[in-house]
Amino acid sequence: MTYDVIVVGAGPAGSSAALMAARAGLSVVLLERGPYPGSKNVYGGVVYGRVLDDVLPGWWEEVPVQRWVTRRSTMVLTGTQALTVDFRSGAWGQAPYNGCTTLRSDFDGWLAGKAVEAGAQLVTSTVATGLIREAGRVVGVRTDRPDGDLRATVVIAADGVNSLLAKELGLLPKTDPKHLTLGVKEVLSLPKDVIDERFGVRGEEGVDVEILGCTRGIAGGGFVYTNRDTLSVGVVVSVDGLAKSEVRPEQLVADLKAHPAIAPWVQGAEVKEYSAHLIPEGGYDHLPQLHAPGFLLTGDAAGLCLAAGIWLEGVNFAIGSGLAAGRAAAAHVLGGAELSSYRKDLESSFVLQDHKRLRKAPALVLSDRVQQRYPQLIADLVEGLFTVTNPTAKPGAISLLRGAAKRNGVKLRHLAADGLAGGRTFR
Amino acid sequence: MGGLVVALLRCTDLRAEVDPLSGAITREPRTAALSASDAAALEHALRIGSAWGARVLAISLGGPEVEGPLREALALGAEVLRVATHQSYLEELVADEQALARALVTALAGELPDLVLCADRSADRGTGALPAFVAHELGVAQAPGLVSLELASLDGGETELLAERRLDYGRRERMRVPLPAVCSVEGAGVRLRRASLPASLAASGATIPVVDAALVPSAVRVVQARPARPRPRHLPAPTGTSRERLLALTGALLSHEPPVVVGPVDAPEAADALLEFLVHHGYLSRAPSGWAVT
Ligand SMILES: Cc1cc2nc3c(=O)[nH]c(=O)nc-3n(C[C@H](O)[C@H](O)[C@H](O)COP(=O)(O)OP(=O)(O)OC[C@H]3O[C@@H](n4cnc5c(N)ncnc54)[C@H](O)[C@@H]3O)c2cc1C
């Protein structure tokens, strides 16, 4: 039997694509290698669900939420110092909310359930091992099950970062350590009331902390997210930088947990889970070709994760691109539209608009100065501002900045140039 | 030969979380799966069923979470049946294997299977008594704890069922199993086959037949549930007088070295002191090439 659409991977991108295609009335098979959707998936912890407003109205009433993020902190750490910019919003704790912490096994299962309700057939514990191609067109997939070939008009690869299907078609390079980061994470168990007290939240309120300067100078950053009765604590670092440093990733998580600003949060917690996963961070300038005859590439498989310093948003981008892939497949099967309409659809949506606007962000944020010099420079500056030096009079801010820049080997013109570049990147 | 082979399957969360302090168990319905022994029971049922040309019926008692593994059995060509019950009654039944056996046998609606296969013990509770109770309810023979179960050909095209099970001290017992029988198997020797993709697709949308569990009154009433306590180890009876035993325990009259206070010292000196201590007590030897554990 030939299906209209085969979607490989029941992550957020795959389930969204399957949902959209099934809603259009197509016959859809959603293949997942894990025993259930989300069983194999790793991420930090926050999903921004507004992308679902039109597709699943009132999604927030049923999404399997751990906590609604009402407090967002950005931290700069050095060996012994910490500077935090902390923001809280009551609005983020009410419908339609902003972001929520949720566990992937819950969230992915919920979203895949929506695709199944719409008519998609989910088959788990099944690995797509390759593509079936005829006359230059993808016409199906091979799987590891007996009698496992399956044919379809469109194959949507939503198999996540390092997509083997995209590599088979030559859409992705064989290896690409420069544009990949490695995320490692521990889930730490603590009673809910202890988390509430330590993070200053109540009920379903949660906290998202993004951290710079906690990775021993390896390009990257760290995070702490509050779940109901667990914390997600981890780091994301450049694969290239990590290999060169010869530091083991779990040492970086151990460092982070031992930092004087973080240790009180995690004290007494028990490690429940340790996981690691790659993240595509190439950004707009390194996106692969997103379609081939009979084939669409979506979510992390297409490198559509937005990693731009203070933002690490992959799930909403995976959902946004998955929905567009489902729409493009439906338009192709039902009306003969070209699959290239997928890219156009993405260009007109937040998915590629944000990527395009922030195209310079990955290089800037992962640059040596931002990673290795500025955290210490900023911390020194702030320490200088708040250290009372009596009986000596207070130093001026400019002289403090000069001193901090000099001590950290930063020239003021570099500072100005990076400030300008930052302004342009994030304008 | 025809007939009916039944696989009684327990689907449970194989990675349930146990709170180390309270012993509270958190089960995830979506991770309900067959244990290795349950999977072996199903595989034996499929093999023997196909050799006999018999119907294979996979039965599991529980909520909708057992439908995943039942769908897998369906994709492998078995008929399936979910025996539905509400959670509190399920807990009662699981505590009382006789009542559980009665509920499962009642679900067969009077049909007498030629062979019933199940796991030697369930992954989560596991006294291993269920197969015996099922055999009792059906009034048939039982062969518990099998590591292998094979069909041997006899003259005239007939077959007989040969089973093997472990005995103590590494011995094995080979048995000829008279039919009908209940056989419980260890998760050994066979691996559950994988369903083909077309069959998995067909099973993914199929409706699983459900019957309500017969409300069999349970003879066991759960008064209190506590964390499992490991059985005490068997210790040899003490020898000697109580005075001698106390002396041996405390080492009171033996010569011993008093504790040595080292330090305060810095880390390298402390490490050296520790190494000295280990060498002195014979745990380490100082080899020319470095340290070696003795
Ligand atoms: C440490 C870390 C922290 C992160 N933090 C956040 C965050 O806080 N917020 C956020 O929005 N994003 C975050 N991300 C990014 C986010 O996880 C991804 O962008 C998102 O999961 C991409 O979704 P996807 O559906 O494209 O891919 P995935 O979620 O990777 O899903 C791919 C699916 O395909 C299946 N699959 C793969 N190969 C096959 C195959 N051959 N056959 C069948 N199935 C297959 C997999 O099992 C999986 O279910 C983080 C990522 C990491 C690693």
Side-chain angles (χ1 to χ4, degrees):
Chain A
M1 176 178 175
T2 299
Y3 288 84
D4 292 325
V5 178
I6 297 169
V7 182
V8 179
S15 291
S16 306
L19 170 69
M20 232 37 197
R23 275 201 187 161
L26 306 191
S27 57
V28 180
V29 175
L30 178 57
L31 296 177
E32 170 55 46
R33 66 179 169 184
Y36 56 92
S39 56
K40 290 195 161 266
N41 294 348
V42 176
Y43 87 136
V46 182
V47 168
Y48 300 92
R50 298 294 306 272
V51 60
L52 291 170
D53 279 0
D54 292 338
V55 193
L56 298 168
W59 56 270
W60 54 82
E61 276 160 16
E62 40 173 311
V63 69
V65 65
Q66 290 279 315
R67 288 174 186 257
W68 295 105
V69 174
T70 55
R71 199 179 148 197
R72 189 166 171 150
S73 303
T74 305
M75 265 187 151
V76 176
L77 296 187
T78 70
T80 54
Q81 300 154 303
L83 169 70
T84 308
V85 178
D86 188 29
F87 178 74
R88 242 175 220 272
S89 169
W92 289 355
Q94 294 163 14
Y97 301 98
N98 182 40
C100 64
T101 56
T102 168
L103 306 178
R104 285 296 294 275
S105 47
D106 294 335
F107 183 80
D108 289 12
W110 171 74
L111 199 56
K114 295 289 167 198
V116 170
E117 272 171 32
Q121 269 183 282
L122 171 68
V123 185
T124 55
S125 302
T126 305
V127 181
T129 51
L131 296 168
I132 308 173
R133 284 187 273 174
E134 277 169 15
R137 189 182 168 85
V138 175
V139 294
V141 295
R142 299 193 193 290
T143 71
D144 64 343
R145 284 209 178 254
D147 206 0
D149 288 3
L150 201 60
R151 299 172 83 86
T153 312
V154 181
V155 172
I156 301 180
D159 49 343
V161 63
N162 205 27
S163 163
L164 299 182
L165 298 184
K167 285 186 179 182
E168 187 181 330
L169 273 188
L171 300 182
L172 286 179
K174 276 219 170 79
T175 55
D176 193 16
K178 282 208 164 36
H179 300 125
L180 292 175
T181 53
L182 177 73
V184 284
K185 170 178 108 158
E186 281 183 11
V187 177
L188 305 172
S189 181
L190 275 177
K192 180 182 181 302
D193 49 341
V194 173
I195 294 181
D196 286 353
E197 201 175 303
R198 290 186 187 175
F199 287 84
V201 285
R202 287 199 188 133
E204 287 201 310
E205 292 172 346
V207 184
D208 163 341
V209 187
E210 307 291 336
I211 307 165
L212 186 69
C214 57
T215 50
R216 298 196 191 181
I218 306 166
F223 57 84
V224 176
Y225 302 129
T226 56
N227 301 315
R228 198 175 303 123
D229 51 11
T230 55
L231 298 177
S232 297
V233 180
V235 296
V236 173
V237 283
S238 125
V239 169
D240 233 13
L242 188 67
K244 281 187 193 129
S245 73
E246 295 187 1
V247 174
R248 293 196 54 85
E250 64 271 23
Q251 283 176 318
L252 297 175
V253 181
D255 284 0
L256 181 61
K257 290 198 300 179
H259 190 280
I262 309 293
W265 285 344
V266 300
Q267 188 183 342
E270 195 166 320
V271 180
K272 265 185 94 174
E273 192 181 300
Y274 177 85
S275 52
H277 202 271
L278 292 173
I279 306 174
E281 291 211 13
Y284 190 80
D285 291 338
H286 297 96
L287 290 182
Q289 193 183 312
L290 299 178
H291 59 89
F295 185 82
L296 293 171
L297 197 56
T298 188
D300 270 14
L304 288 169
C305 177
L306 183 80
I310 46 176
W311 296 291
L312 173 52
E313 297 175 23
V315 173
N316 47 333
F317 279 76
I319 294 173
S321 60
L323 294 172
R327 277 193 297 268
H332 178 72
V333 173
L334 299 174
E338 294 290 327
L339 287 180
S340 54
S341 68
Y342 172 50
R343 170 104 198 189
K344 290 192 196 103
D345 193 355
L346 289 178
E347 296 276 4
S348 64
S349 84
F350 74 96
V351 175
L352 283 186
Q353 282 174 5
D354 283 352
H355 268 284
K356 197 169 181 179
R357 207 161 50 83
L358 295 165
R359 66 200 295 172
K360 299 271 181 267
L364 180 71
V365 173
L366 299 178
S367 70
D368 285 353
R369 275 200 295 277
V370 172
Q371 290 288 328
Q372 291 165 8
R373 313 243 174 224
Y374 290 163
Q376 188 68 58
L377 187 156
I378 295 168
D380 285 355
L381 177 67
V382 175
E383 186 160 333
L385 277 176
F386 293 129
T387 303
V388 179
T389 54
N390 301 157
T392 316
K394 290 194 192 313
I398 298 288
S399 88
L400 280 175
L401 177 63
R402 277 217 181 91
K406 195 168 172 200
R407 272 197 306 284
N408 289 289
V410 177
K411 298 217 159 56
L412 287 184
R413 67 185 153 84
H414 289 149
L415 204 56
D418 289 340
L420 206 62
R424 282 208 193 105
T425 302
F426 295 107
R427 72 174 177 247
Chain B
M1 171 178 159
L4 175 66
V5 178
V6 170
L8 296 178
L9 305 175
R10 171 120 177 96
C11 309
T12 186
D13 179 0
L14 300 177
R15 285 184 287 172
E17 267 180 41
V18 183
D19 185 303
L21 293 180
S22 65
I25 298 172
T26 314
R27 285 195 181 86
E28 278 273 7
R30 78 181 141 236
T31 42
L34 298 181
S35 69
S37 320
D38 286 282
L42 179 56
E43 178 61 29
H44 281 301
L46 292 166
R47 280 185 191 187
I48 295 169
S50 108
W52 286 347
R55 284 165 54 220
V56 176
L57 173 63
I59 302 182
S60 187
L61 183 129
E65 72 278 3
V66 307
E67 292 196 358
L70 283 182
R71 251 175 236 291
E72 191 66 19
L74 185 64
L76 289 169
E79 294 169 31
V80 295
L81 181 65
R82 173 162 79 86
V83 183
T85 173
H86 50 85
Q87 189 56 31
S88 56
Y89 183 55
L90 179 67
E91 268 158 27
E92 239 175 73
L93 281 184
V94 173
D96 178 355
E97 276 149 322
Q98 184 170 22
L100 177 61
R102 229 172 260 169
L104 286 168
V105 169
T106 315
L108 288 172
E111 212 176 342
L112 180 65
D114 300 283
L115 183 62
V116 176
L117 281 145
C118 57
D120 60 336
R121 57 187 59 237
S122 58
D124 48 353
R125 301 268 169 167
T127 64
L130 179 80
F133 282 122
V134 172
H136 174 76
E137 290 300 322
L138 291 170
V140 300
Q142 58 148 329
L146 308 179
V147 287
S148 104
L149 188 60
E150 302 291 341
L151 281 177
S153 308
L154 296 175
D155 296 338
E158 288 293 296
T159 55
E160 66 175 353
L161 203 53
L162 295 180
E164 194 174 307
R165 73 169 165 197
R166 277 183 234 275
L167 296 179
D168 287 346
Y169 306 111
R171 282 176 296 176
R172 299 268 173 129
E173 180 178 44
R174 298 216 84 200
M175 296 176 294
R176 196 168 288 127
V177 182
L179 295 175
V182 175
C183 294
S184 66
V185 295
E186 285 188 21
V190 290
R191 176 172 287 183
L192 183 58
R193 63 194 71 185
R194 293 198 79 200
S196 73
L197 187 58
S200 301
L201 278 164
S204 77
T207 312
I208 303 288
V210 181
V211 293
D212 280 331
L215 288 177
V216 184
S218 169
V220 176
R221 204 160 53 86
V222 179
V223 185
Q224 189 195 14
R226 284 184 308 166
R229 305 246 182 273
R231 284 172 195 276
R233 268 191 303 143
H234 199 85
L235 294 174
T239 54
T241 65
S242 51
R243 181 173 176 279
E244 282 162 353
R245 296 204 309 270
L246 262 178
L247 284 178
L249 273 176
T250 57
L253 298 181
L254 300 175
S255 70
H256 66 278
E257 286 174 37
V260 183
V261 179
V262 186
V265 290
D266 61 12
E269 280 178 84
D272 285 343
L274 277 175
L275 288 172
E276 272 315 321
F277 179 86
L278 293 174
V279 171
H280 180 73
H281 289 276
Y283 296 110
L284 268 186
S285 66
R286 210 190 309 251
S289 54
W291 298 100
V293 179
T294 51

